[in-house]
Amino acid sequence: MTQRLATPEKLRTLQRKLYAKAKTDPAFRFYSLHDKIWRSDVLAHAFALAKANGGAPGVDGESFAAIEASGVETWLAGLAQELKDGTYRPQPVRRVTIPKPDGGERPLGIPTIRDRVAQTAAKLILEPILEADFEPNAYGYRPGRSALDAVREVHRLLLAGHTDVVDADLSQYFDEIPHRDLLRSVAQRVADRNVLRLIKLWLKAPVAEQDERGHWVMTGGKRRSKGTPQGGVLSPVLANLYMNRFLKYWRRNGHRDQLQAHVVAYADDLVILTRGHAAEAMARLRSAMPRLGLTVNETKTATVDARSQQFDFLGYSLGAHYRRWNGKWYLGASPSKKSVQRLKANVRALLVPSNSGNWLETRDRLNRMLRGWAGYFCYGSRGVAYRAVDAHVAQRTRHFLRRRHQVASRATRQFGDHRLFGELGVLSVQALSRAARSNAST
């Protein structure tokens, strides 16, 4: 995720004007945007954002350090000239795979730094325009919105009685978006042919993968007709734009009002919450998606009665929860078992026997991991999950320090919970939660 850097005032003023024009005139098409993408202040801020976001080099191996050593201003001037005179061509996207939370692997595209900066510059200009048209129930990758906001909205709708739920999943959404229809969606707002050409170039960029001998193998290219690769800077905005077609269809065709069915979407993660009409909502979802060139994953899509069942959404389990202290059921939200298990796996991976690094540095890495997890999983019923996390962290840390200090016993005296979470400075997520509640009440 891009780190937050202050947007220069001149650029911010331009973005406000673009958004205001798009918002007040829904039919307006923007004809002169290309010259703003290669503007020096836009490219300079795009470079700063790309650098703050970090990331590995692309197929050319060029790093931020190398660019800065040779002179950023000269490098940006060269990119600006290529964009201005139309000679700019994106390089192939380096493909890597990352493990998916539920098993398997997810392909990730890594553009070169040059292409990341160019895409970031385009995003700075296009996002305010496209943002003005997005439906309010879309939460993914949008300014001022977050996954946690989407979770809160789902929980709010459950409490309001929308407990018959379609827990939906789309098959390979980012890879299946049709280029022609996506470009038509962009063209409804953007009439500048040079900008449309740039977007098409990025969509058609070849994908490069290394074989066992280290040779590059190219796929895709001009013949590619669908997909906006995850990892591209502009991909989240384009993915939101295409999903917005479904969200608008749902509202304009009266499905929300007829079925009392509210869609909450975060990129390709979506749920439909209804009052007794989950089956009808499921049927209309199945009917709509093929017309968009998309496929509902039938094995992962199901209807749920949240009064007696749970469903997972963005790392949270929502629906029926049980209060042990009074034996009553309630509609709640809590960190999902999968989310807790993923954190435990990350803790185990850090505190492995082969980790011979400095203890303080290891502890600080562990604490950053725990703080980030607790920062997101700060909503709903957290007690059970937090206790499980603290117990696991204590066990793994104790085992790690016992091996390091060659303690023969289980080391429960030498490295008890009180010392681990006190003198040794390991973060307790339960203590973090108590501190947050205390600060909120003062």
Side-chain angles (χ1 to χ4, degrees):
M1 180 180 291
T2 302
Q3 293 184 21
R4 290 189 177 183
L5 293 177
T7 304
E9 187 56 36
K10 185 178 178 182
L11 173 55
R12 189 67 185 141
T13 299
L14 171 62
Q15 290 176 322
R16 289 193 187 103
K17 289 180 179 178
L18 292 172
Y19 177 83
K21 179 61 179 176
K23 198 68 176 177
T24 56
D25 191 347
F28 185 81
R29 298 176 73 215
F30 292 79
Y31 284 86
S32 182
L33 296 174
H34 185 239
D35 61 327
K36 296 170 179 60
I37 291 174
W38 49 262
R39 223 171 70 175
S40 59
D41 61 326
V42 174
L43 283 176
H45 189 57
F47 181 85
L49 290 171
K51 181 184 175 186
N53 197 35
V59 294
D60 61 357
E62 187 174 44
S63 66
F64 287 102
I67 294 170
E68 291 176 322
S70 63
V72 175
E73 290 186 5
T74 302
W75 187 89
L76 287 174
L79 175 58
Q81 189 61 46
E82 288 182 17
L83 289 167
K84 181 179 180 180
D85 59 26
T87 59
Y88 167 82
R89 297 291 184 279
Q91 292 180 276
V93 176
R94 181 166 71 90
R95 173 174 284 176
V96 298
T97 56
I98 57 175
K100 295 174 66 174
D102 56 353
E105 294 182 326
R106 184 192 305 276
L108 183 69
I110 303 178
T112 63
I113 292 176
R114 194 175 197 85
D115 294 333
R116 297 209 293 266
V117 171
Q119 286 191 42
T120 302
K123 179 175 180 283
L124 289 169
I125 301 304
L126 292 174
E127 187 173 52
I129 297 169
L130 302 179
E131 173 69 24
D133 292 335
F134 288 162
E135 294 288 299
N137 50 336
Y139 289 85
Y141 313 119
R142 295 183 63 185
R145 288 169 173 250
S146 69
L148 199 53
D149 292 329
V151 171
R152 289 191 180 102
E153 177 62 7
V154 169
H155 191 207
R156 184 192 71 79
L157 287 166
L158 289 176
L159 295 175
H162 297 81
T163 53
D164 296 282
V165 179
V166 179
D167 180 13
D169 186 88
L170 302 180
S171 298
Q172 298 179 313
Y173 173 67
F174 280 80
D175 295 330
E176 294 297 318
I177 298 175
H179 288 174
R180 180 181 295 180
D181 291 338
L182 175 60
L183 287 168
R184 284 175 178 168
S185 294
V186 178
Q188 288 179 356
R189 276 303 203 170
V190 178
D192 190 323
R193 60 183 180 85
N194 290 315
V195 174
L196 294 172
R197 174 179 164 274
L198 272 179
I199 296 172
K200 188 174 181 179
L201 284 173
W202 287 321
L203 291 174
K204 302 289 185 183
V207 174
E209 293 184 87
Q210 285 184 305
D211 60 20
E212 294 120 355
R213 295 175 295 175
H215 298 154
W216 290 110
V217 178
M218 302 291 178
T219 57
K222 292 182 179 180
R223 290 176 292 181
R224 186 179 175 197
S225 62
K226 59 184 180 179
T228 174
Q230 296 187 64
V233 178
L234 201 56
S235 289
V237 177
L238 296 177
N240 275 348
L241 177 65
Y242 200 68
M243 181 59 72
N244 204 53
R245 292 174 62 140
F246 170 72
L247 299 178
K248 281 190 174 182
Y249 151 81
W250 194 264
R251 174 177 56 82
R252 289 174 175 175
N253 282 269
H255 300 329
R256 183 185 63 188
D257 297 329
Q258 293 166 12
L259 305 179
Q260 297 187 63
H262 297 263
V263 181
V264 178
Y266 187 93
D268 58 332
D269 288 313
L270 60 95
V271 291
I272 307 174
L273 301 103
T274 82
R275 288 179 180 266
H277 299 287
E280 295 97 319
M282 172 86 87
R284 296 186 191 188
L285 173 74
R286 285 174 173 153
S287 173
M289 286 304 175
R291 283 180 270 163
L292 294 172
L294 303 173
T295 304
V296 175
N297 187 336
E298 297 292 347
T299 61
K300 294 184 177 180
T301 299
T303 58
V304 176
D305 182 352
R307 291 166 296 185
S308 59
Q309 299 170 285
Q310 290 186 355
F311 61 95
D312 288 356
F313 181 60
L314 300 177
Y316 277 80
S317 289
L318 296 117
H321 283 63
Y322 181 72
R323 284 195 180 99
R324 296 181 181 180
W325 61 273
N326 67 0
K328 293 184 178 180
W329 290 88
Y330 67 100
L331 289 169
S334 60
S336 71
K337 291 180 179 178
K338 288 182 179 179
S339 299
V340 174
Q341 291 302 320
R342 282 197 294 270
L343 177 64
K344 288 181 177 181
N346 290 336
V347 171
R348 284 195 300 272
L350 175 62
L351 301 178
V352 291
S354 58
N355 182 349
S356 58
N358 179 275
W359 157 244
L360 293 180
E361 293 177 0
T362 300
R363 181 205 63 190
D364 290 346
R365 286 179 59 192
L366 174 63
N367 284 351
R368 284 195 296 271
M369 182 191 304
L370 295 170
R371 194 178 298 277
W373 186 88
Y376 178 68
F377 292 103
C378 61
Y379 181 74
S381 305
R382 310 181 297 277
V384 173
Y386 276 30
R387 285 192 294 273
V389 167
D390 276 353
H392 182 78
V393 168
Q395 178 192 29
R396 300 306 304 181
T397 307
R398 185 178 299 114
H399 191 50
F400 179 79
L401 292 174
R402 181 180 68 81
R403 288 193 312 266
R404 177 164 290 199
H405 294 279
Q406 299 181 345
V407 178
S409 67
R410 291 186 176 182
T412 52
R413 283 196 309 163
Q414 295 91 329
F415 302 112
D417 289 3
H418 183 74
R419 188 181 179 205
L420 288 176
F421 295 122
E423 175 190 343
L424 295 179
V426 176
L427 184 68
S428 161
V429 292
Q430 292 182 89
L432 193 66
S433 177
R434 288 192 294 269
R437 288 197 301 269
S438 176
N439 292 335
S441 63
T442 57

